[in-house]
Structure formats: structure tokens, C-alpha cells
Amino acid sequence: MKTILVYTKEEAARNAFAVEKFKSLLGAELVTPDYRGEADVVINRSNDYGIAEFYESRGVRVFNPCAFTRLANDKQAAYDFMEKNGIPVMPTRYGTPPFVKKPKDGHGGEGVVMCSSADEYDESFVCQKPASDLGKDLRVWVLGGEIKAAFLRVSKTDFRSNFCLGGDAVPYNLSSGETALIKKIIVLVDGDYYGIDFIFDGGKIVFNELEDAVGARILYAKTETDIFAEYGKYILDNCSKAV
């Protein structure tokens, strides 16, 4: 069984630990997004749904599936989808200052800015009403339809609280209501291993984004959880069921 692991060259270098994990656990061959060779299993960590689309059309199992990757990497589509299905989101297509402007396909807080002028509104970006509780968010990790961990990420210097941007992270105990909301999202989306990010408005969690190629730095830094080992076992179990 040939397993390929898809990363851009830049992300493969930045995520060398994850690459080595997938290689050792699954014997995965690292390839770049332009690869279209033979594969029996695809672990797509590129955020490019076209890769999943190509292999799924040939009957190959892809982690994560095309539909999930496509939704997760278009923030506006994700907000519209969640709002349509009764998941709370901050209003988008919003141009009353102050408002948050972010690339529709951005990750890790890159390119996200707080705008103070209506002239900065741009419909090619996501323009969104800010949540009331700036500088903190909630990251939830999901594997195989199960909640694996939840961390509160907090920044004292930036309205963005991403761990990779210097924000701190502490374990977070989900309330029953928060757990119910997360499980509702899990049922709506068809993913294998991913993250769900929430912001806080009036003290309540509000959907912010799906993280397709979700990282695990917080989990390895702050817990004993070996999430990539669990993901590797999940992939093997699911591939054996498909045979």
C-alpha cells in the first residue's frame, strides 16, 4: 500500500516533526502538491482541495476529503455554511469600522488586520464584525469525529491569539453547551483530523474557522497526547476497513 504525504516544500520544512512522524508510522512518501503519481492512500496537508478531488475521482482514500478541504480553506464559504446550519458566527460582509479583514484562504492569523476606515472594505476579503472579547480564542482538535483536546489561546499584545504568533495556551474545560455545539459542527462536516477555532462574543463561543491541516504544537508542548500516532492508527484502521 503506497501512502503519500502532501506538503508544500515550505510547510514540510516548518513541520519537519510531523513529516517524520507520518514517515515512521505509515511509511509515507513525502511529495509536493504538483505530484499526480500512483497512490493508494493520500494524507493531504497542503490545504489544496484539488489534490483530494484528483485522487478521489480515482477511488483513492484521501485524508481529509475533498469536500472538507474545500470548505475549510474558503473562510467566507465556511461562515455562510455554518450560519445556514444554525451555528453562531460574527456577521460577515460587514464594513462598519472597526471591522476585521482577512484573506479568504489565510491561515495562522497571517494577513488579518483590524480596519478603522470604511474605505478599507474589500469584498474579495472576509470583512467581519469583531467579537467583543478580543485577544483570545478556543482551538478544538477533532479526530475521527471525536473531540480530542481543547485549548484557550490568549494574547496580551494582539487581537489575534494564535500560538504561532506568540499567544499563550492553556487547557480549556468545555461546558455541556459548548460540547453540544462542537458536536453539531462535527456532524455537519466530513473531516478526519482537523481543528475548529472559536472566538468569544459576550462570553460565548462563536465559530471562527475550520483548520484543515491543523497543527499540533500546543498538544506536544502542553500535553502527553501523541496526536499524530493516534491519527496514524486511525488512517490504518480506516484503510483496512475499505479493503
Side-chain angles (χ1 to χ4, degrees):
M1 184 172 72
K2 181 175 180 178
T3 301
I4 62 170
L5 172 65
V6 187
Y7 270 108
T8 64
K9 288 182 179 180
E10 295 77 15
E11 286 300 303
R14 199 169 75 89
N15 293 280
F17 174 79
V19 170
E20 291 308 312
K21 274 284 188 179
F22 285 119
K23 285 182 176 180
S24 63
L25 291 166
L26 301 168
E29 175 187 342
L30 178 63
V31 301
T32 54
D34 59 352
Y35 177 85
R36 291 295 186 272
E38 293 297 317
D40 301 299
V41 178
V42 177
I43 307 168
N44 184 16
R45 303 280 292 172
S46 70
N47 295 313
D48 181 352
Y49 75 85
I51 294 165
E53 188 173 56
F54 174 85
Y55 282 103
E56 285 177 6
S57 70
R58 287 155 177 78
V60 176
R61 179 67 161 92
V62 183
F63 302 83
N64 287 310
C66 176
F68 180 89
T69 296
R70 187 168 195 163
L71 181 66
N73 291 284
D74 184 336
K75 286 181 171 43
Q76 188 63 65
Y79 288 129
D80 293 343
F81 174 83
M82 294 299 172
E83 189 171 28
K84 178 182 176 181
N85 285 281
I87 305 299
V89 302
M90 297 306 298
T92 61
R93 302 179 178 89
Y94 183 89
T96 303
F99 62 90
V100 178
K101 184 166 75 172
K102 46 192 166 185
K104 292 181 179 180
D105 60 351
H107 298 281
E110 292 185 4
V112 179
V113 295
M114 186 72 75
C115 297
S116 58
S117 169
D119 292 337
E120 296 176 85
Y121 180 84
D122 186 337
E123 62 182 15
S124 66
F125 287 74
V126 172
C127 293
Q128 187 173 42
K129 182 178 181 179
S132 63
D133 306 353
L134 297 178
K136 70 175 185 176
D137 74 354
L138 176 67
R139 160 67 58 82
V140 177
W141 284 262
V142 178
L143 174 61
E146 297 182 2
I147 299 170
K148 302 302 295 185
F151 268 78
L152 181 68
R153 305 184 298 183
V154 180
S155 174
K156 295 180 180 179
T157 60
D158 198 323
F159 74 94
R160 302 168 299 174
S161 51
N162 305 69
F163 192 60
C164 62
L165 295 178
D168 194 14
V170 294
Y172 184 86
N173 293 319
L174 297 166
S175 70
S176 59
E178 290 167 341
T179 299
L181 177 62
I182 294 164
K183 288 183 175 179
K184 184 176 179 181
I185 294 173
I186 290 171
V187 171
L188 287 171
V189 300
D190 180 22
D192 297 299
Y193 168 61
Y194 57 95
I196 311 174
D197 290 350
F198 297 89
I199 48 181
F200 290 82
D201 189 60
K204 296 181 179 180
I205 62 171
V206 175
F207 172 81
N208 193 42
E209 64 182 304
L210 295 169
E211 283 290 343
D212 179 17
V214 64
R217 289 177 179 82
I218 296 173
L219 296 186
Y220 283 102
K222 305 273 187 174
T223 77
E224 298 299 316
T225 300
D226 189 346
I227 194 67
F228 288 131
E230 293 186 29
Y231 189 23
K233 183 179 184 302
Y234 170 85
I235 290 171
L236 289 173
D237 289 347
N238 277 267
C239 289
S240 64
K241 290 174 185 176
V243 174

